[in-house]
């Protein structure tokens, strides 16, 4: 999906930009990019980060970068930032989101406006360039941003580095967050607030859905007010947000603890210990263990010295191998025990199946699984959320295929917790994973753990509700 970070400072901003962008590395696996602006113009670097950390790739570039204003990005797909020359002046742009109607928008641009795109890769238009083209159709940056966000189906948050300062724009429905940080003499715009404290920034404010601000060394000026309607991605709190981050003033780690507590309140399975699949299941498991007054232990530890980030090689068999090599079982904690694992979610379930098998090989007596969210039934169509390539690969959809003969079936029935079809689907997943028991979090409990009204959250991947 990707993440971004921008800085406007009365001094040189490069160090803050470098570390602030690096703190978004968990959100993307393919490209990293930085752009700074000074009185001589723009300097920009883009690197492939598929097999290397962002920091090691950019360290040498830092000496060549000077400027008080900059933007950076970790991108899951396209090269960014792009440098654009237009009637609005020269600017750099980064985006986070998904342009689902890119082909249609590109066709319109070709036929109606006879425009061209230069950042073609594999025959496809770079979505960030497409957004820049939509911005350039209007007379000002704020009107252009509005034009782009209204045209895009999916979601689109934007940072622009311009001669007038940095523009920060949150997606029209706020699917991804944008937060403004402040310290003496500098402002930051970030997706993850975990980027702020170690750089000395405090949270200044959370942008509302569709809100646009312009940041200069003198302050933050609102250029478009926030809309009422919000559909922030609930999965940010469950899985892919960073534990030390807050969105809408709600901390990720605290929500994960509450998810585990909610699971424990509805469970009386006799077990010896609670564990999380590292790292994303850990906070949920701590919540469960504390609520149930059952010891939290670590049957698996992660080998971090050489597997520091969860990069995703294209080849599935290599991905499975990496997942296996990272987790080391501790037989002394596993043997003869009834283990209960909390996990953020079950996506495809293939790696999880291997992980569970290894527990039995180490002598576990029982393995119970408690995912922190309901079964994933619908593929995300609002973010480039890359955990599963096809909707039909989802563990829940494979189970529905087995029950119905194809993956479509009455999906709303399967999404309904407690329904006959839902229980049959869960039972198939349990058997496939060779679990002693499997109980998913119910959606109302997940919503309560987050603490926002349901109508402000996107819950599409669980219940198919699309209020966009
Ligand atoms: S569909 Fe799921 S992953 Fe996508 S924005 Fe909605 S809650 Fe997030």
């Amino acid at each position: 999906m990707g993440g971004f970070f921008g800085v406007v400072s009365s001094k040189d901003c490069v160090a803050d930009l470098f570390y602030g962008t690096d703190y978004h590395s968990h959100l993307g696996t393919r490209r990293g990019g930085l752009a700074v602006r000074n009185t001589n113009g723009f300097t920009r670097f883009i690197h492939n980060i598929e097999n290397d950390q962002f920091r090691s790739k950019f360290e040498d570039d830092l000496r060549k970068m000077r400027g008080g204003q900059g933007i950076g990005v970790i991108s899951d797909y396209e090269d960014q930032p792009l440098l654009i020359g237009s009637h609005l002046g020269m600017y750099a742009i980064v985006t986070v989101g998904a342009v689902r109607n890119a082909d249609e928008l590109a066709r319109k641009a070709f036929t109606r406006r006879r425009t061209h795109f230069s950042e073609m890769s594999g025959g496809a238009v770079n979505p960030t360039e497409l957004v820049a083209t939509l911005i350039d159709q209007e007379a000002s940056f704020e009107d252009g941003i509005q034009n782009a966000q209204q045209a895009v189906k999916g979601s689109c948050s934007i940072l622009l580095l311009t001669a007038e300062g940095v523009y920060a724009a949150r997606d029209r429905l706020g699917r991804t967050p944008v937060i403004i940080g402040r310290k003496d003499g500098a402002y930051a715009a970030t997706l993850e607030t975990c980027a702020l404290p170690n750089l000395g920034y405090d949270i200044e404010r959370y942008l509302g859905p569709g809100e646009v601000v312009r940041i200069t060394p003198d302050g933050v000026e609102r250029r478009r007010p926030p809309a009422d309607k919000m559909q922030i991605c609930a999965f940010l709190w469950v899985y892919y947000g960073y534990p030390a981050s807050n969105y809408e003033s709600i901390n990720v780690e605290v929500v994960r603890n509450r998810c585990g507590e909610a699971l424990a309140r509805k469970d009386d399975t006799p077990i010896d210990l609670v564990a999380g699949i590292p790292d994303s299941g850990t906070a949920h498991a701590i919540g469960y263990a504390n609520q149930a007054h059952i010891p939290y232990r670590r049957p698996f530890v992660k080998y971090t010295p050489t597997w520091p980030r969860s990069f995703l090689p294209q080849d599935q068999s290599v991905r499975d191998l990496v997942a296996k090599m990272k987790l080391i079982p501790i037989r002394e904690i596993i043997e003869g025990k009834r283990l209960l694992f909390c996990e953020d979610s079950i996506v495809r379930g293939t790696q999880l199946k291997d992980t569970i098998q290894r527990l039995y090989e180490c002598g576990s007596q029982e393995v119970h699984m408690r995912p922190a969210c309901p079964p994933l039934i619908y593929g995300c169509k609002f973010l480039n959320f890359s955990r599963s390539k096809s909707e039909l690969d989802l563990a829940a959809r494979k189970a529905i295929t087995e029950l119905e003969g194809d993956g479509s079936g009455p999906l709303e029935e399967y999404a309904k917790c407690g329904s006959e079809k839902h229980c049959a689907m869960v039972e198939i997943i349990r058997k496939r994973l060779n679990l002693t028991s499997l109980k998913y979090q119910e959606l109302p409990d997940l919503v309560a753990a987050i603490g926002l009204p349901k109508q402000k959250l996107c819950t599409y991947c669980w219940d198919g509700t699309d209020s966009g």
Side-chain angles (χ1 to χ4, degrees):
M1 97 150 213
F4 60 41
F5 189 80
V7 193
V8 173
S9 174
S10 50
K11 303 186 199 120
D12 190 83
C13 75
V14 173
D16 283 6
L17 181 64
F18 174 63
Y19 290 111
T21 307
D22 182 56
Y23 277 124
H24 292 78
S25 295
H26 55 288
L27 294 174
T29 55
R30 288 199 61 202
R31 297 284 184 273
L34 298 175
V36 287
R37 190 181 170 282
N38 60 32
T39 45
N40 297 322
F42 292 81
T43 314
R44 176 197 65 170
F45 293 97
I46 298 171
H47 290 295
N48 182 338
I49 54 166
E50 275 167 286
N51 295 315
D52 254 315
Q53 288 182 342
F54 172 86
R55 282 204 315 280
S56 60
K57 285 285 184 148
F58 282 82
E59 246 151 19
D60 290 344
D61 301 327
L62 296 188
R63 283 178 282 111
K64 300 170 213 154
M65 301 182 93
R66 286 283 166 276
Q69 302 185 5
I71 57 175
V73 69
I74 300 290
S75 173
D76 235 351
Y77 293 93
E78 71 266 38
D79 284 350
Q80 307 185 50
L82 299 182
L83 295 181
I84 306 290
S86 80
H87 71 98
L88 296 167
M90 189 155 172
Y91 65 92
I93 176 171
V94 296
T95 63
V96 164
V99 183
R100 290 278 170 227
N101 54 339
D103 290 346
E104 178 202 329
L105 291 174
R107 237 187 345 267
K108 271 191 198 159
F110 287 140
T111 51
R112 291 196 199 154
R113 297 188 182 255
R114 301 202 171 162
T115 192
H116 72 271
F117 296 99
S118 57
E119 297 278 341
M120 307 295 289
S121 95
V125 172
N126 178 317
T128 298
E129 186 180 16
L130 191 54
V131 170
T133 306
L134 294 163
I135 291 172
D136 296 341
Q137 288 171 3
E138 300 297 326
S140 67
F141 283 117
E142 41 276 69
D143 287 351
I145 289 167
Q146 187 167 18
N147 182 45
Q149 290 186 327
Q150 279 172 351
V152 164
K153 291 201 176 100
S155 70
C156 184
S157 290
I158 305 167
L159 291 182
L160 301 180
L161 174 62
T162 78
E164 304 161 13
V166 168
Y167 283 81
R170 186 174 174 191
D171 170 59
R172 183 173 72 80
L173 290 167
R175 299 242 187 231
T176 50
V178 180
I179 298 105
I180 306 299
R182 182 185 186 174
K183 69 178 178 183
D184 225 13
Y187 292 93
T190 187
L191 190 154
E192 290 284 27
T193 64
C194 68
L196 299 177
N198 289 351
L199 299 174
Y201 293 86
D202 292 320
I203 293 173
E204 167 90 348
R205 66 194 184 86
Y206 295 80
L207 297 192
E211 186 172 0
V212 180
V213 295
R214 184 173 65 113
I215 310 167
T216 66
D218 299 327
V220 180
E221 182 194 353
R222 181 181 278 170
R223 303 299 287 236
R224 211 169 92 209
D228 287 337
K229 188 167 181 185
M230 182 164 74
Q231 286 288 283
I232 185 169
C233 169
F235 222 165
L236 275 166
W237 283 280
V238 175
Y239 166 65
Y240 65 84
Y242 208 71
S245 280
N246 287 20
Y247 320 115
E248 310 301 322
S249 305
I250 301 169
N251 175 260
V252 173
E253 177 83 358
V254 169
V255 168
R256 290 180 188 171
N257 291 164
R258 287 201 289 251
C259 280
E261 288 160 18
L263 285 164
R265 275 195 292 272
K266 290 197 167 162
D267 206 358
D268 55 4
T269 309
I271 48 168
D272 298 310
L273 61 94
V274 181
I277 307 278
D279 292 323
S280 50
T282 303
H284 303 292
I286 290 172
Y288 189 111
N290 287 342
Q291 175 68 33
H293 302 291
I294 294 169
Y296 170 79
R297 306 291 300 274
R298 296 198 299 163
F300 280 114
V301 289
K302 200 166 166 183
Y303 192 75
T304 49
T306 53
W307 300 109
R309 72 190 286 263
S310 55
F311 75 91
L312 294 176
Q314 294 301 307
D315 189 314
Q316 188 58 48
S317 61
V318 182
R319 283 160 69 149
D320 292 345
L321 178 71
V322 169
K324 177 179 176 177
M325 297 309 275
K326 269 200 264 189
L327 291 185
I328 307 174
I330 302 177
R331 185 176 281 273
E332 287 75 1
I333 293 180
I334 298 168
E335 203 161 25
K337 299 287 193 318
R338 298 167 298 175
L339 314 170
L340 184 141
F341 274 86
C342 289
E343 179 56 316
D344 55 85
S345 56
I346 297 176
V347 184
R348 294 162 63 248
T350 43
Q351 281 171 10
L352 190 60
K353 187 175 178 181
D354 291 345
T355 307
I356 293 160
Q357 182 53 33
R358 292 167 74 198
L359 291 166
Y360 289 119
E361 285 163 12
C362 286
S364 68
Q365 212 183 88
E366 295 174 4
V367 182
H368 306 268
M369 190 63 62
R370 301 292 179 263
C373 65
L376 294 163
I377 291 181
Y378 303 86
C380 175
K381 56 179 184 176
F382 308 111
L383 302 171
N384 270 329
F385 186 55
S386 57
R387 290 187 75 195
S388 185
K389 280 201 169 54
S390 156
E391 203 167 62
L392 295 176
D393 284 345
L394 294 167
R397 290 297 281 272
K398 280 199 237 158
I400 294 171
T401 303
E402 195 173 321
L403 288 162
E404 298 282 334
D406 70 39
S408 48
L411 297 183
E412 15 0 287
E413 263 305 300
Y414 283 100
K416 217 180 283 166
C417 182
S419 73
E420 213 174 294
K421 286 194 180 294
H422 180 94
C423 296
M425 172 185 73
V426 172
E427 178 59 10
I428 286 184
I429 301 170
R430 183 196 71 75
K431 278 193 190 143
R432 257 201 211 139
L433 296 176
N434 194 17
L435 289 163
T436 315
S437 77
L438 170 64
K439 280 188 202 162
Y440 283 87
Q441 184 89 276
E442 294 179 27
L443 192 53
D445 293 333
L446 170 59
V447 171
I450 294 171
L452 286 174
K454 181 171 185 302
Q455 68 271 19
K456 286 188 178 288
L457 290 167
C458 176
T459 55
Y460 176 81
C461 46
W462 301 294
D463 65 0
T465 305
D466 178 2
S467 334

